Amino acid sequence: MELRRALYLYENPLSIVKAEECIQEDKEYEPQTICEHLQYLFALLQNSNRRYIDPSGFIRALGLDTGQQQDAQEFSKLFMTLLEDKLSSQKDPYVRDIIQNQFCGQYAYVTVCNRCGRESKLVSKFYELELNIQGHKQLTDCITEFLKEEKLEGDNRYFCENCQSKQNATRKIRLLKLPPTLNLQLMRFVFDRQTGHKKKLNTYIGFGETLEMEPFLDQTDTKYVYELSAVLIHRGVSAYSGHYIAHVKDPQNSEWYKFNDEEIEKMEGKKLQLGIEEDLAEPSKSTTRKPKCGKGIHCSRNAYMLVYRLKAEEVPEVDFEVPVFLQKLVELDNCKFEEWCVEMSEMRKESVDKGKAKHEEVKELYQRLPAGADNAYEFIPLDWLQKWLDESTPSKPIDNSKYLCTHGKLHPDKISSMKRISEYAAEVFFQRYDGGPRLKAESLCKDCVVERCRVLRLKNQLNEDHKTIANMVKVTVTSGEGFWIGKASLRRWRQLATEQLGQEDEFEQGDVKINGSTPQKEELLEEKREEDTETGFNEDIVCQHGCLCISESERRLISDATWFKLKEYFPTAPEFRHNQEPCCQCQVLEREGERNDALHKKMANDQKLALPNLFQDKNRPGSSWPQETSELYIVSQFFVEEWRKFIRRPTKCGPVQSLGNSHLICPHGGLMFSFSTMTKEDSKLIALLWPSEWDVIQKLFIVDHAIKITRTVTSEDNNVATLYTSEPELCPECREGLLCQQERDLREYAQATIYVHKVVDNKKVMKEAAPELNVSSSDPEDEKEEPRPEGENDPDFSQANGAPKRQKVSIQGQVSYQKQGIRRSTRHRKVRGEKALLVSANQTLKDLKIQVSRDPHAAFCLILTAVR
């Protein structure tokens, strides 16, 4: 009440001028400040003719998102602070200090030294008291805990300025001053450490209609008896969703009202009735009994905020005169509201009249819709008729065009979507709603009916022939007879025959099971079947020259009787008798391919013998410069990988003809890599070669650019200096640009894949987190480890057994210390129970946790593999 009175006294000359302009021009008034919004809202609540007031403008002025639930306690604090700041510029002290005088209290943090008894006091203001409800049943118990003493001992000792040292002490809160309106916040939303989210406490708390605060005040002779004025209820089991309901008491007649959005309900008997607000609770706690409450006491497990007002001997006046400009705005709003009500009433009357007219129309035609056996009839769409019966709005014109066949008549397959009605009803419909074309009894297309019957007969015959042919192909073909047929065509012949009849594919791909086929073989043939879908019957065994293909695995022999049976459906299909010779040209090409494969195998074997260490990735230049040479050469790692693929599978991969190093050189002709990074972060892009290997490569391949690194050692005054130079020289500018681009790529990525799986024990961690150490024989050939000589162990496991991690090797007189590593595949091997997730660089760890389903009783491991 006092707040409403103060806001009515709030002065802003600009708002009065703007309000007068809106009244004169009959425009909608839009307040500019928070106080103006509250002024207008209070005036509407007091004198408006509306059943409820929409505060959307006020919400927008506060910058709140109506689609997101806001915390009522946090909103109360921020709103009081904002309102106090806006009113601080007013000249009237009553308006300026209304928040302080009505809602602000004082308490002090008091710390007492146990040694010297010195008392330290820190006075602070409060607008509400935040009370912990865990472990309590009554509101007074919560207040007592809020004010209880806290011992400061051990590491938490208090530094006493009198003793000039840390001492044991006690700390508590003392209430010094209470406001006329006391806000009590029940802390129902607490942080759950197990889940990392907030949760709601559905604890029953008892609170009285009166609250005596004298026992909790420090040295006061004034009676502080408060009356319950409002209760805010939070309905819902989650801290992140729910619904707020307010119960407010009228101070003039002591009647309670429930505010549930736009629904306002007056309580019966002038008593607070929480009622159904207590029925919605967490299922696991729904069996908790409500404690018995005495007279004047209420128990609630959803009460969130309690508002108490200081009890007054006299009933305060609540009727205040609304400022003149606000009253004019309210009257203008009432006029617009009355006009809207009249308009709605007319629209409702018009709608009722239309409904009555439609009812009479339906009543008139409904009895005459059915067509008699010997009476004339027409067809209309069934969906249009349903809309005509159900909808009160005028129906659209009748559209029969989508039910016609290619001959312009009624399609027999669309007859189920039409309704047969009397000619009289059809005449009335077309006169009132228009449309067309009109479909009478003779409109049914006879040509389509005949064709449909023919297709149905052929389909029945096809089903019988399918069973017959399935049995015939199982019979062994006698010598001297038979025809070649593609295995794919034999599987799909019924589907192809059905497509020729113009029907949809209602059959599965595998019509006939090939002898000896297994589920594994069928999976291997899946890609082949996709290619077969675009070929005609028996065209899958026709080579590119139009003759019989040379691959016998793609065809089989069937008997003459089976072939002639199939020819009835495919008279123009390619025909090959059992004695038909395969294509001569294809045989020549096959022999040429075999010769090429032999040449490639010999080429791969020769290159492997010439560069054995490069192929096996052994005895490579390491992170430190080898002492045996002063020169090393650089090639692209891509060239090395492609060359290794050819060596491993010479018949599947083409031979490498040239070595391209141009992408390692910048546009200025300089090198973009330094020796310090070649064996570290740049090792995925370049490979280092011995001079002897470079000589072999120059003889075997066409080289576009030779890149060499030279080490020079100088000694002066017992100081040894090592200088690395490259040909071509390093380009600092392009090198810096490459580093910046690499860092940017690491920071900015989208749609990268990470793999998450559950860890059961250490053994499974080793097997699944490092699959390259456990390659099975079923892995692809190009991803298997290279065989190691007998006695050579994995250095990672050798170290665990006490062996040295690096061993000394000597090849061709060159000695260096190298790690005997395993060639690891860059392809991710999916393990059992693994889950793939897509992440981006701007995604937080909290977002990732939401994606991953976690088990609190098991340990989890995240194996992150970013796939660009």
Side-chain angles (χ1 to χ4, degrees):
M1 296 179 295
E2 288 77 7
L3 178 62
R4 180 169 27 134
R5 178 184 294 154
L7 285 171
Y8 282 163
L9 297 175
Y10 174 83
E11 295 181 354
N12 186 357
L14 295 178
S15 64
I16 298 177
V17 174
K18 185 174 182 181
E20 293 294 340
E21 292 178 357
C22 293
I23 294 171
Q24 293 176 3
E25 300 177 6
D26 195 17
K27 296 191 305 184
E28 185 177 355
Y29 175 63
E30 294 183 1
Q32 299 299 315
T33 64
I34 301 299
C35 295
E36 293 175 15
H37 274 285
L38 284 175
Q39 271 187 332
Y40 191 40
L41 278 176
F42 279 133
L44 289 173
L45 288 170
Q46 185 169 337
N47 294 331
S48 176
N49 294 335
R50 298 177 183 269
R51 187 168 61 90
Y52 62 89
I53 305 300
D54 183 7
S56 299
F58 180 54
I59 299 300
R60 288 193 298 269
L62 292 175
L64 298 178
D65 181 9
T66 57
Q68 182 179 3
Q69 176 172 294
Q70 308 292 332
D71 184 73
Q73 294 182 2
E74 184 180 0
F75 172 76
S76 175
K77 295 178 185 177
L78 297 177
F79 180 66
M80 286 294 181
T81 304
L82 176 64
L83 193 57
E84 184 179 9
D85 178 66
K86 296 298 182 182
L87 294 175
S88 61
S89 60
Q90 291 292 300
K91 296 180 181 180
D92 189 345
Y94 178 78
V95 179
R96 183 176 62 248
D97 301 330
I98 187 63
I99 302 299
Q100 292 281 341
N101 295 335
Q102 287 296 319
F103 304 98
C104 184
Q106 285 186 350
Y107 56 59
Y109 290 97
V110 180
T111 306
V112 180
C113 178
N114 290 353
R115 180 180 178 184
C116 65
R118 181 180 180 274
E119 184 177 282
S120 175
K121 183 185 296 184
L122 177 62
V123 180
S124 179
K125 298 188 300 182
F126 70 88
Y127 295 97
E128 66 279 315
L129 298 180
E130 297 181 353
L131 306 179
N132 177 33
I133 65 173
Q134 283 186 303
H136 301 298
K137 297 181 179 179
Q138 297 296 328
L139 178 63
T140 53
D141 297 337
C142 301
I143 300 176
T144 302
E145 186 199 10
F146 180 77
L147 302 175
K148 73 175 182 181
E149 287 188 352
E150 176 189 3
K151 293 183 179 181
L152 304 179
E153 299 176 345
D155 295 337
N156 199 28
R157 288 183 299 169
Y158 163 72
F159 182 82
C160 179
E161 294 183 358
N162 190 27
C163 301
Q164 288 297 308
S165 62
K166 288 188 175 182
Q167 300 292 335
N168 293 339
T170 58
R171 175 176 292 171
K172 65 178 181 178
I173 296 177
R174 290 180 184 173
L175 291 177
L176 304 179
K177 175 186 174 184
L178 293 177
T181 303
L182 180 61
N183 289 327
L184 302 179
Q185 315 283 359
L186 305 183
M187 300 175 64
R188 290 200 175 274
F189 300 149
V190 297
F191 181 77
D192 189 350
R193 294 184 177 180
Q194 293 183 350
T195 62
H197 299 283
K198 288 195 300 182
K199 69 175 182 179
K200 181 182 177 183
L201 299 177
N202 293 297
T203 304
Y204 274 107
I205 292 295
F207 52 91
E209 293 187 1
T210 60
L211 178 63
E212 296 184 3
M213 292 296 294
E214 307 98 89
F216 304 108
L217 281 171
D218 184 39
Q219 299 178 357
T220 180
D221 297 332
T222 308
K223 285 188 176 182
Y224 280 91
V225 180
Y226 285 84
E227 288 183 324
L228 185 63
S229 176
V231 180
L232 182 66
I233 298 292
H234 176 270
R235 291 186 61 186
V237 297
S238 171
Y240 297 96
S241 62
H243 182 61
Y244 288 111
I245 298 176
H247 296 257
V248 182
K249 182 180 181 181
D250 188 340
Q252 192 172 20
N253 53 26
S254 299
E255 292 181 343
W256 282 91
Y257 293 85
K258 182 172 76 171
F259 294 82
N260 184 4
D261 289 342
E262 67 272 11
E263 298 293 333
I264 296 92
E265 179 184 353
K266 182 180 178 181
M267 300 295 176
E268 297 180 0
K270 296 185 178 181
K271 293 183 180 180
L272 174 61
Q273 301 173 12
L274 299 180
I276 195 173
E277 282 75 24
E278 298 305 315
D279 295 340
L280 186 63
E282 193 172 345
S284 60
K285 300 180 180 180
S286 59
T287 57
T288 304
R289 286 188 176 183
K290 182 178 180 180
K292 294 182 179 180
C293 300
K295 185 178 181 180
I297 302 296
H298 302 278
C299 293
S300 172
R301 57 181 168 189
N302 287 321
Y304 188 37
M305 294 176 61
L306 304 176
V307 180
Y308 283 88
R309 288 185 56 83
L310 191 61
K311 191 172 183 179
E313 296 181 359
E314 298 180 358
V315 178
E317 297 181 1
V318 294
D319 291 333
F320 311 124
E321 290 188 4
V322 179
V324 177
F325 79 98
L326 287 176
Q327 182 60 34
K328 290 181 180 180
L329 290 173
V330 172
E331 291 175 356
L332 178 62
D333 181 77
N334 286 338
C335 291
K336 292 183 178 180
F337 177 67
E338 293 296 334
E339 293 175 359
W340 179 83
C341 290
V342 172
E343 183 181 352
M344 290 295 104
S345 178
E346 292 178 353
M347 290 178 60
R348 189 178 297 109
K349 183 177 180 300
E350 182 181 354
S351 178
V352 171
D353 293 341
K354 290 181 179 179
K356 290 181 178 179
K358 184 63 175 289
H359 178 73
E360 293 298 328
E361 180 185 15
V362 172
K363 184 178 179 181
E364 174 192 356
L365 292 177
Y366 188 76
Q367 299 296 333
R368 306 194 63 172
L369 273 178
D374 299 328
N375 298 333
Y377 60 87
E378 291 189 26
F379 293 98
I380 64 169
L382 185 60
D383 57 349
W384 185 92
L385 187 60
Q386 289 174 342
K387 291 180 180 179
W388 174 77
L389 288 170
D390 298 338
E391 298 180 0
S392 59
T393 57
S395 300
K396 297 180 180 180
I398 303 173
D399 183 14
N400 286 334
S401 58
K402 58 183 178 181
Y403 302 98
L404 303 180
C405 66
T406 56
H407 309 107
K409 294 187 176 183
L410 179 59
H411 198 293
D413 292 341
K414 302 294 181 64
I415 200 73
S416 59
S417 302
M418 307 297 288
K419 181 67 175 178
R420 179 174 171 266
I421 65 174
S422 65
E423 189 176 34
Y424 171 81
E427 187 68 29
V428 173
F429 283 145
F430 281 104
Q431 285 181 359
R432 294 181 181 179
Y433 302 106
D434 201 5
R438 300 181 66 168
L439 301 177
K440 300 185 178 182
E442 61 273 10
S443 299
L444 184 62
C445 185
K446 296 182 179 180
D447 295 337
C448 291
V449 172
V450 172
E451 178 64 19
R452 182 63 172 162
C453 294
R454 185 187 69 85
V455 170
L456 290 175
R457 286 196 299 270
L458 291 176
K459 183 178 178 181
N460 294 334
Q461 184 64 36
L462 180 63
N463 292 334
E464 296 178 1
D465 290 344
H466 170 256
K467 298 178 182 178
T468 303
I469 292 177
N471 295 325
M472 294 174 69
V473 295
K474 297 177 183 179
V475 179
T476 304
V477 181
T478 58
S479 59
E481 72 162 358
F483 287 84
W484 289 109
I485 185 174
K487 293 181 179 180
S489 295
L490 188 57
R491 287 192 301 268
R492 299 174 53 245
W493 76 267
R494 186 168 65 161
Q495 175 189 350
L496 294 174
T498 306
E499 291 175 355
Q500 289 185 4
L501 298 177
Q503 301 299 311
E504 296 180 356
D505 180 13
E506 300 177 355
F507 310 106
E508 298 180 356
Q509 292 283 343
D511 288 334
V512 180
K513 192 169 184 179
I514 308 301
N515 291 337
S517 63
T518 61
Q520 292 78 8
K521 292 181 180 179
E522 292 296 328
E523 293 177 1
L524 295 176
L525 291 174
E526 187 65 29
E527 295 182 0
K528 184 63 179 176
R529 291 180 181 178
E530 293 179 0
E531 299 176 0
D532 294 339
T533 56
E534 299 181 358
T535 60
F537 180 76
N538 218 31
E539 292 179 358
D540 50 326
I541 60 173
V542 179
C543 71
Q544 59 183 346
H545 309 107
C547 302
L548 181 63
C549 67
I550 60 176
S551 176
E552 295 187 2
S553 61
E554 298 179 4
R555 50 189 168 92
R556 61 164 294 180
L557 275 176
I558 60 174
S559 63
D560 292 354
T562 306
W563 174 255
F564 294 135
K565 195 72 175 176
L566 291 170
K567 284 283 285 186
E568 295 177 3
Y569 292 95
F570 310 101
T572 60
E575 183 176 297
F576 302 102
R577 295 199 63 86
H578 67 94
N579 54 359
Q580 176 75 39
E581 292 293 334
C583 179
C584 299
Q585 299 181 50
C586 291
Q587 291 178 354
V588 172
L589 293 176
E590 184 181 25
R591 287 192 293 269
E592 291 179 357
E594 293 175 352
R595 287 196 297 268
N596 290 335
D597 291 345
L599 292 175
H600 288 172
K601 288 181 180 180
K602 183 178 183 304
M603 182 187 301
N605 187 54
D606 294 342
Q607 294 180 5
K608 180 178 179 181
L609 294 176
L611 299 168
N613 293 335
L614 182 61
F615 172 72
Q616 298 180 5
D617 199 13
K618 293 182 179 179
N619 192 27
R620 311 308 312 149
S623 58
S624 60
W625 189 280
Q627 301 296 326
E628 296 75 28
T629 181
S630 61
E631 294 181 352
L632 292 175
Y633 289 85
I634 297 175
V635 296
S636 168
Q637 186 66 31
F638 175 77
F639 161 78
V640 176
E641 294 298 330
E642 291 297 315
W643 177 75
R644 287 172 178 167
K645 288 181 182 178
F646 168 69
I647 298 300
R648 286 192 292 268
R649 307 178 69 179
T651 60
K652 301 295 183 182
C653 303
V656 180
Q657 303 291 344
S658 60
L659 166 60
N661 281 339
S662 57
H663 66 281
L664 303 180
I665 300 176
C666 71
H668 310 109
L671 186 62
M672 293 190 292
F673 306 93
S674 61
F675 176 74
S676 59
T677 63
M678 290 179 184
T679 56
K680 297 177 182 178
E681 58 265 27
D682 293 333
S683 60
K684 294 181 179 180
L685 302 176
I686 60 99
L688 296 175
L689 302 182
W690 300 103
S692 58
E693 293 175 333
W694 178 253
D695 294 338
V696 174
I697 284 180
Q698 283 185 310
K699 296 177 182 179
L700 295 177
F701 307 101
I702 302 173
V703 181
D704 58 353
H705 294 282
I707 304 176
K708 181 172 66 173
I709 300 292
T710 305
R711 183 189 66 168
T712 304
V713 180
T714 58
S715 178
E716 184 177 351
D717 298 335
N718 295 327
N719 293 327
V720 179
T722 303
L723 178 65
Y724 298 97
T725 58
S726 63
E727 296 180 11
E729 296 182 354
L730 178 68
C731 180
E733 180 181 354
C734 295
R735 173 61 184 169
E736 186 68 23
L738 178 63
L739 293 177
C740 293
Q741 182 63 37
Q742 290 176 346
E743 293 179 0
R744 190 180 303 111
D745 293 340
L746 291 175
R747 294 193 306 268
E748 302 174 2
Y749 61 88
Q751 299 296 309
T753 303
I754 64 172
Y755 299 94
V756 183
H757 72 91
K758 181 178 179 181
V759 172
V760 178
D761 51 38
N762 293 333
K763 184 176 181 181
K764 185 173 182 180
V765 173
M766 180 60 67
K767 289 184 177 180
E768 298 185 353
E772 64 272 13
L773 302 179
N774 304 275
V775 180
S776 65
S777 59
S778 62
D779 291 329
E781 182 181 351
D782 59 340
E783 295 183 0
K784 292 183 181 179
E785 301 173 10
E786 296 299 329
R788 290 190 289 267
E790 185 178 356
E792 182 182 331
N793 297 322
D794 189 330
D796 293 332
F797 293 102
S798 297
Q799 186 184 24
N801 297 330
K805 190 171 183 179
R806 299 174 183 269
Q807 71 180 60
K808 188 174 182 181
V809 295
S810 176
I811 297 181
Q812 298 179 357
Q814 301 169 349
V815 181
S816 64
Y817 291 88
Q818 296 298 328
K819 180 179 177 180
Q820 298 296 321
I822 300 173
R823 189 183 66 82
R824 292 173 171 83
S825 170
T826 59
R827 180 179 177 183
H828 176 77
R829 294 180 178 90
K830 190 170 183 179
V831 297
R832 184 176 59 184
E834 188 176 69
K835 185 177 182 181
L837 302 175
L838 293 178
V839 296
S840 302
N842 58 355
Q843 189 171 353
T844 64
L845 184 58
K846 182 178 179 180
D847 297 333
L848 179 60
K849 287 181 178 180
I850 293 176
Q851 289 182 268
V852 180
S853 57
R854 300 188 306 166
D855 184 354
H857 304 293
F860 277 77
C861 175
L862 297 182
I863 299 188
L864 309 179
T865 306
V867 180
R868 290 283 198 276

